[in-house]
Amino acid sequence: RQTETNQGATALLLDNIKTPIRTESFQELYNVIPGKELGRGKFAIVKRCMEKSTGTEYAAKFLRKRRKGQDCRVDVLHEIAVLELTNPSHRIINLHQVYETLTEMVLVLEYAAGREIFNQCVAEGDEAFTQEEVKWLMRQILEGVAFLHRNNIVHLDLKPQNILLTSACPLGDIKIVDFGLSRRLCQNQELREIMGTPEYVAPEILNYEPISTATDMWSIGVLAYMMLTRTSPFLGEDKQETFLNISQINIDYTEDELQALSASAIHFIQSLLIKEPKSRASAEECLRHHWLQEQAQEKTEENLTSEICQRAHTKPAPPSYPPSPSSL
Ligand code: ADP
Ligand code: MG
């Protein structure tokens, strides 16, 4: 599944976990809300649930401990440790409780009711994000990623399915989820070949070269491209073609959607989709990039909020909308 050089040292964060691992029955303390599950991956199912004692909604991530015949409990402990470390950041999903059964571990997470930004990334017309919305979301994503990188954590699976919203309309805050592939960077240990999702992986992953915080920044470039154009920049007919497109940085900046954007938006993407990891902008640098600094001239905060809410036929809810720099 993954190879890490320098055996002995671990890129997993297994510091003392403070969250109690409960062995009481999860089902007795929570009602799983019937209906479609929130999400499903290779080894996890996420379901909406309600804590019986408080009536609060959560998202419960059920993780199998045995995967492909191997005991993967330490991987889950790592995910818990990372969520504890990231607890101070509002941009990263909160962990409420942990339960363990013979076969599974259950991470009870804060519920992000606005779901994945993926939905808007593939949506047409009114449902799709405007450039101003993308900027507002991108700032938040970068704040979360900057927090991770300051703490020497790389996410390694940043993609629209792992960026959730607290509410879809009015547009809420983002929450980064899924630390299943995340790793801690250690000074005297090189980390290689942790395979994320083909469309979003950086060239160094394909070339078996060292992973760094810049590996996440590549994915941020892909994410920005997708949020702005609703197309995946490197996606080919099959995995091989996708990998070839990535390693050749075969990217089309002449797409109509891109041409309609400000030059600074294109410059932002170009500062990330660079082969050499060291040449890519960092999360902090991206936050200072002029694309994210510039305020829509013709749009005030107020009419932007009402525009977004008109589209969804709901009333504006001003508190969660970004303050304009002038009001700070
Ligand atoms: P996996 O490792 O299987 O990808 P994730 O943690 O990414 O697991 O969860 C899978 C999906 O479940 C996510 O893409 C998202 O759609 C949904 N999901 C996960 N956490 C939450 C949450 N806290 N609130 C709402 N939906 C969630
Ligand atoms: Mg995921």
Side-chain angles (χ1 to χ4, degrees):
R1 206 162 58 90
Q2 71 204 37
T3 313
E4 284 157 27
T5 51
N6 283 9
Q7 300 212 330
T10 173
L12 296 179
L13 190 68
L14 298 169
D15 302 349
N16 292 333
I17 289 172
K18 292 184 206 78
T19 311
I21 299 183
R22 296 164 195 266
T23 49
E24 302 100 291
S25 160
F26 170 82
Q27 319 289 343
E28 266 175 36
L29 298 163
Y30 289 82
N31 282 323
V32 173
I33 298 170
K36 211 173 152 267
E37 60 217 25
L38 295 172
R40 177 186 282 264
K42 260 194 208 137
F43 310 110
I45 300 180
V46 182
K47 295 178 184 169
R48 213 171 123 202
C49 61
M50 185 185 280
E51 193 173 37
K52 291 181 187 174
S53 62
T54 59
T56 311
E57 280 187 305
Y58 291 96
K61 181 171 181 180
F62 297 79
L63 287 139
R64 281 217 318 265
K65 285 194 277 186
R66 271 195 97 70
R67 303 167 190 179
K68 296 183 180 162
Q70 280 201 325
D71 180 8
C72 292
R73 188 172 184 269
V74 296
D75 295 84
V76 184
L77 294 180
H78 162 78
E79 199 166 336
I80 296 168
V82 172
L83 288 168
E84 279 185 10
L85 178 91
T86 57
N87 187 52
S89 169
H90 298 305
R91 303 305 181 208
I92 294 161
I93 207 81
N94 240 23
L95 178 66
H96 175 57
Q97 286 184 330
V98 178
Y99 290 82
E100 181 166 17
T101 68
L102 264 180
T103 54
E104 281 181 323
M105 300 200 62
V106 188
L107 309 192
V108 185
L109 301 161
E110 159 191 14
Y111 174 52
R115 317 294 292 272
E116 304 172 8
I117 63 164
F118 180 78
N119 302 325
Q120 288 92 331
C121 285
V122 293
E124 294 288 330
D126 282 1
E127 303 263 301
F129 294 130
T130 64
Q131 186 177 182
E132 286 311 304
E133 288 173 315
V134 173
K135 283 160 71 169
W136 149 244
L137 297 171
M138 187 45 84
R139 276 187 214 111
Q140 294 196 0
I141 296 169
L142 287 166
E143 284 165 11
V145 172
F147 180 92
L148 290 174
H149 291 178
R150 277 200 299 279
N151 287 284
N152 295 318
I153 301 285
V154 281
H155 186 285
L156 302 181
D157 204 12
L158 290 170
K159 57 179 178 178
Q161 293 88 339
N162 288 335
I163 312 282
L164 310 186
L165 291 167
T166 54
S167 114
C169 189
L171 192 58
D173 292 322
I174 68 98
K175 298 282 173 183
I176 300 175
V177 299
D178 196 356
F179 290 84
L181 289 185
S182 72
R183 290 296 180 269
R184 172 171 56 175
L185 295 172
C186 300
Q187 262 184 353
N188 44 20
Q189 178 199 12
E190 272 191 1
L191 191 63
R192 294 171 198 253
E193 205 202 336
I194 292 189
M195 194 44 108
T197 311
E199 284 166 76
Y200 310 95
V201 297
E204 60 270 25
I205 302 255
L206 303 178
N207 293 337
Y208 195 67
E209 282 160 11
I211 287 168
S212 67
T213 54
T215 309
D216 278 342
M217 296 318 295
W218 172 277
S219 309
I220 292 286
V222 177
L223 207 54
Y225 188 103
M226 279 191 79
M227 289 166 82
L228 290 166
T229 66
R230 282 166 289 123
T231 51
S232 185
F234 301 109
L235 185 63
E237 290 288 310
D238 53 31
K239 234 173 160 171
Q240 257 45 51
E241 198 184 308
T242 302
F243 290 156
L244 194 67
N245 287 338
I246 295 169
S247 55
Q248 296 177 341
I249 322 225
N250 190 2
I251 185 165
D252 185 5
Y253 287 105
T254 62
E255 283 252 351
D256 286 349
E257 277 102 337
L258 272 185
Q259 287 306 308
L261 299 172
S262 58
S264 61
I266 298 175
H267 183 271
F268 178 90
I269 297 171
Q270 285 174 331
S271 71
L272 294 168
L273 299 181
I274 298 172
K275 187 146 193 163
E276 172 56 43
K278 288 195 170 65
S279 305
R280 287 174 212 150
S282 68
E284 300 282 359
E285 283 163 353
C286 283
L287 280 165
R288 292 193 296 269
H289 191 278
H290 45 277
W291 179 54
L292 295 183
Q293 297 293 324
E294 75 195 16
Q295 186 74 3
Q297 302 277 304
E298 70 285 15
K299 285 180 183 173
T300 63
E301 173 196 335
E302 215 168 274
N303 66 28
L304 181 60
T305 307
S306 63
E307 178 193 299
I308 290 162
C309 291
Q310 262 166 22
R311 285 196 275 131
H313 313 290
T314 54
K315 277 188 158 178
S320 76
Y321 213 71
S324 62
S326 57
S327 70
L328 286 174

